[in-house]
Every structure is written in C-alpha cells, then in structure tokens.
C-alpha cells in the first residue's frame, strides 16, 4: 500500500493537471459503486494488452485508468459538460435466416463530473436515442413490423438520468433498481489498452448481463421477451496517443464502435417470439455536435430539449430503457 494518503482522494482539476501520471500503484483500494463504465464490469480481467507504461501513460496504474476513463466519459474540469454520439442500425436476429436490418438508430448524450470527495468521480448523464427510417433518416413515430406486418408505436430511448461512479476499483455492474444483483469486489481498475504504433491507442470494454425482466410476461404478454433479460454491450475506443498522454487534456475526444445485444424491443410487440435485436453503431465523444444528423438534432430540439443539458446533481435510480419502459408505458391490448 502506498503511504501517499492522496491516492484515495478525488482529484480536483488543479491536482489532476499537476499529478497526472505520477500516482503510485497501490493495493487494498477502497471499493467503489457501479458504473457503466456500465460496460466495463469484466474489462479488468484482461489487463493491459500490448501497452507498456511510458511517461504520462500509466496503463498499469488504476488511478491513471480512473482518470483516463473520466476524461473519455466526461470532463475532469468539473462542471463542464461533454457531448457523446452514437449512430447505426438495429438488426433483427432469428434462427435459420439472415440478419435483417430493421431501423436506424441515432442519438446523443451530455455528461458532466461531480467530485465524489472519496476518490470517485460521479458521472451524471442524460441520453436520448431515436429510431429512424433506414432510407430517409427521418425519426420514426410509427413503424411497420416486418415480422408481424403490424404498425406499432415507436418508443425512443430516453434515459434521464443514467448516473454512475468512476473509481480506481473495477465497477461491479449496474443494479437497475435492484433487479440485477451485483457482487462488489475490490479489484484494481485496469483497462485493456493497446497502442497501434501510428499515434493511436485502442481500448475496449464490455458487459454481459442476465437478470430478471421488469416486463414480466404475465403483465406484459406482448412486450415481454420472457422472465429474464439477456443483454450485452460492447464498446471500442480509438484515442489520440499524444492527447491521452497530455495532462492538460481534461476532456478526451475519441471515436469507436458500440454493439448491443438485447431482447426484442418491447414496443415491437414481438412477445416471446424466438430471436433478439443487435445494435451495430459508431460512437464518439467530441467537442461539438457537428457529427449529429440535422434531422435528429431538429427533432430533439423540438421534442426533447432538456437532453441538451447534463444533470447537475446525482439522483437515483439509474435504469436502462427496458426498466424505464415498464415504469412509463402501459401494456398493449392482447390481440383477439
């Protein structure tokens, strides 16, 4: 254990700029609450992947990993917000047939950090995701399900909030209001970094979940895919190496990819039909919103203006779109 008592304290911006890359690796680190990185519950099992500590790049240091993830997910200049973006396709996957592109998907988030005061950073976030027409890019409010030939009402993803903590210990995973039971272990937070040799650094994170559904089929016969949810999310990051090594960069831009495997979306009214959805998306964190399509931006400005501002305080609970659906929607009438 390092004798430096500042190791377990949250760093304000001045401390971060002064000490980045100089924190001593320690053991016996205090446990932290869950995160996203809500998709990083298993990432530390891989350890560093082809990346060797060099100067300010402390790939084997859990405190450096904490700060690097905070710089990717938000801004270590506390109070400033960061824009995140994703865009791709939601595919249908069924046995004995090829994968079918169903709808486009595009959205964004705004996040900011709050100093937890105990060696953690509290990330507070709002995110909105819209399902779009594959040909026109228009935001869908209704959609004809090609599997059932039924016109259904489309429900966007609107997570307000999705908050989590970033610390020097590995996150245990999201609890989703107590539905997903998690086991917290004091494991140093080490991500699987890899340098490309041409000025870029790669990193990936993921999570695989299997937990009781908030949409039980007895109450939600048309929306529920079954008694259990099987959900996976996979993230890949591409980061500029010089910026990652620069302690002045409190907000790191990145590009990458995001994949999600999830039950049929409840608004598709597929019930317990065999199969699932697979999201295949690009993603990134940038200093402006230029990457966001004009049609999606205009729709959000008209119908969801509050999602252009990150929360300013920590609130509970943080739920996924599946749990929010159960709280905000009503079961569809059963077809006769």
């Amino acid at each position: 254990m390092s004798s430096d008592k500042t190791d377990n304290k949250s760093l304000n911006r001045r401390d971060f700029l002064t000490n980045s890359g100089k924190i001593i690796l320690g053991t016996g680190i205090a446990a932290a609450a869950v995160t996203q990185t809500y998709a990083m519950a298993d990432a530390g099992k891989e350890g560093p992947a082809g990346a060797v500590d060099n100067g300010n790049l402390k790939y084997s240091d859990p405190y450096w990993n904490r700060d690097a993830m905070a710089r990717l997910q938000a801004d270590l200049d506390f109070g400033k917000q960061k824009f995140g973006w994703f865009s791709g396709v939601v595919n249908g996957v069924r046995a004995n047939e090829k994968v079918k592109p169903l709808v486009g998907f595009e959205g964004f988030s705004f996040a900011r950090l709050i100093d937890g005061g105990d060696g953690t950073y509290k990330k507070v976030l709002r995110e909105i995701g819209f399902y779009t027409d594959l040909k026109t890019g228009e935001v869908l409010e209704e959609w004809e399900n090609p599997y059932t030939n039924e016109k259904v009402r489309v429900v966007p993803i609107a997570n307000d909030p999705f908050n989590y903590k970033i610390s020097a210990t590995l996150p245990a995973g999201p609890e989703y209001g107590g539905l997903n039971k998690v086991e917290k272990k004091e494991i140093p937070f080490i991500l699987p970094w890899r340098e490309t040799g041409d000025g870029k650094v790669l990193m990936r994170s993921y999570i695989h979940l299997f937990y009781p559904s908030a949409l039980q089929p007895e109450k939600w016969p048309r929306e529920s895919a079954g008694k259990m949810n099987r959900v996976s999310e996979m993230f890949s990051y591409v980061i500029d190496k010089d910026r990652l090594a620069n302690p002045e960069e409190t907000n790191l831009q990145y590009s990458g990819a995001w994949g999600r495997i999830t039950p049929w979306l409840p608004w598709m009214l597929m019930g317990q039909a065999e199969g699932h959805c697979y999201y295949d998306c690009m993603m990134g964190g940038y200093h402006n919103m230029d990457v966001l399509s004009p049609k999606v931006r205009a729709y959000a400005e008209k119908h969801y203006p509050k999602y252009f501002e990150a929360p300013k305080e920590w609130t509970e609970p943080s739920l996924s779109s599946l749990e929010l659906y159960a709280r905000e929607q009503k079961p569809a009438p059963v077809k006769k």
Side-chain angles (χ1 to χ4, degrees):
M1 170 76 75
S2 167
S3 60
D4 186 350
K5 299 300 184 182
T6 64
D7 280 1
N8 291 325
K9 294 180 180 179
S10 179
L11 302 179
N12 61 34
R13 183 173 186 269
R14 179 177 295 176
D15 291 334
F16 170 76
L17 297 178
T18 302
N19 298 324
S20 179
K22 299 179 183 178
I23 301 172
I24 300 171
L25 176 64
T27 59
I29 303 163
V34 292
T35 137
Q36 172 179 304
T37 308
Y38 62 80
M40 292 190 304
D42 295 323
K45 295 179 181 178
E46 297 184 7
V52 179
D53 289 8
N54 179 23
N56 284 338
L57 294 169
K58 301 292 186 180
Y59 299 116
S60 64
D61 183 334
Y63 293 96
W64 183 89
N65 279 266
R66 172 196 64 182
D67 291 344
M69 181 52 63
R71 297 161 70 199
L72 287 170
Q73 296 292 312
D75 194 321
L76 265 176
D77 193 346
F78 296 128
K80 289 186 177 181
Q81 65 177 21
K82 181 171 185 175
F83 167 71
W85 168 82
F86 44 88
S87 179
V89 174
V90 180
N91 301 282
V93 183
R94 299 200 303 182
N96 302 313
E97 66 180 50
K98 65 180 181 181
V99 170
K100 181 190 294 292
L102 300 177
V103 292
F105 185 66
E106 184 173 5
F108 61 92
S109 66
F110 278 95
R112 71 177 91 241
L113 295 176
I114 299 170
D115 184 352
D118 58 355
T120 66
Y121 304 126
K122 295 180 177 180
K123 178 183 172 181
V124 291
L125 171 144
R126 287 191 183 103
E127 62 182 351
I128 185 80
F130 300 106
Y131 299 98
T132 61
D133 185 276
L134 288 171
K135 293 181 179 179
T136 68
E138 297 286 348
V139 174
L140 293 169
E141 295 183 347
E142 290 185 325
W143 176 69
E144 187 167 324
N145 187 331
Y147 297 125
T148 64
N149 297 317
E150 179 181 8
K151 185 173 286 188
V152 297
R153 181 177 62 91
V154 177
V155 179
I157 287 178
N159 292 333
D160 177 25
F162 196 97
N163 300 335
Y164 59 89
K165 296 179 182 179
I166 303 172
S167 81
T169 53
L170 196 68
E175 296 182 349
Y176 294 149
L179 287 170
N180 184 42
K181 304 299 182 183
V182 298
E183 181 181 0
K184 297 180 176 66
K185 297 181 180 179
E186 296 185 9
I187 301 173
F189 184 41
I190 307 295
L191 291 163
W193 305 93
R194 186 180 294 274
E195 295 184 0
T196 66
D198 64 351
K200 301 296 181 183
V201 177
L202 309 179
M203 190 269 286
R204 62 185 294 267
S205 62
Y206 57 89
I207 192 169
H208 304 301
L209 299 174
F210 187 66
Y211 65 99
S213 174
L215 298 163
Q216 289 296 306
E218 293 80 10
K219 180 178 179 181
W220 303 85
R222 304 202 63 203
E223 292 85 356
S224 177
K227 292 184 175 297
M228 302 293 290
N229 284 335
R230 181 173 61 191
V231 179
S232 293
E233 298 207 38
M234 294 73 64
F235 296 76
S236 297
Y237 299 81
V238 182
I239 310 151
D240 183 87
K241 180 180 176 181
D242 289 340
R243 291 181 180 274
L244 182 61
N246 181 3
E248 297 287 338
E249 295 273 359
T250 59
N251 174 345
L252 289 172
Q253 295 189 78
Y254 68 88
S255 295
W258 167 57
R260 182 187 188 208
I261 299 170
T262 188
W264 297 117
L265 302 178
W267 54 263
M268 292 180 173
L269 304 183
M270 292 289 287
Q272 290 81 60
E274 182 181 5
H276 61 271
C277 288
Y278 171 60
Y279 291 65
D280 181 17
C281 297
M282 303 175 287
M283 71 165 189
Y286 306 112
H287 295 326
N288 58 58
M289 300 180 65
D290 291 350
V291 69
L292 186 63
S293 73
K295 290 179 178 180
V296 166
R297 180 168 183 168
Y299 190 91
E301 287 174 341
K302 181 177 180 180
H303 298 285
Y304 295 87
K306 75 173 180 178
Y307 285 85
F308 290 87
E309 178 75 18
K312 294 183 179 178
E313 60 183 13
W314 181 275
T315 57
E316 295 281 1
S318 289
L319 305 172
S320 82
S321 58
L322 296 174
E323 289 77 55
L324 284 173
Y325 192 99
R327 293 189 177 203
E328 297 173 350
Q329 307 298 322
K330 295 181 179 179
V334 176
K335 296 176 82 173
K336 295 181 179 179

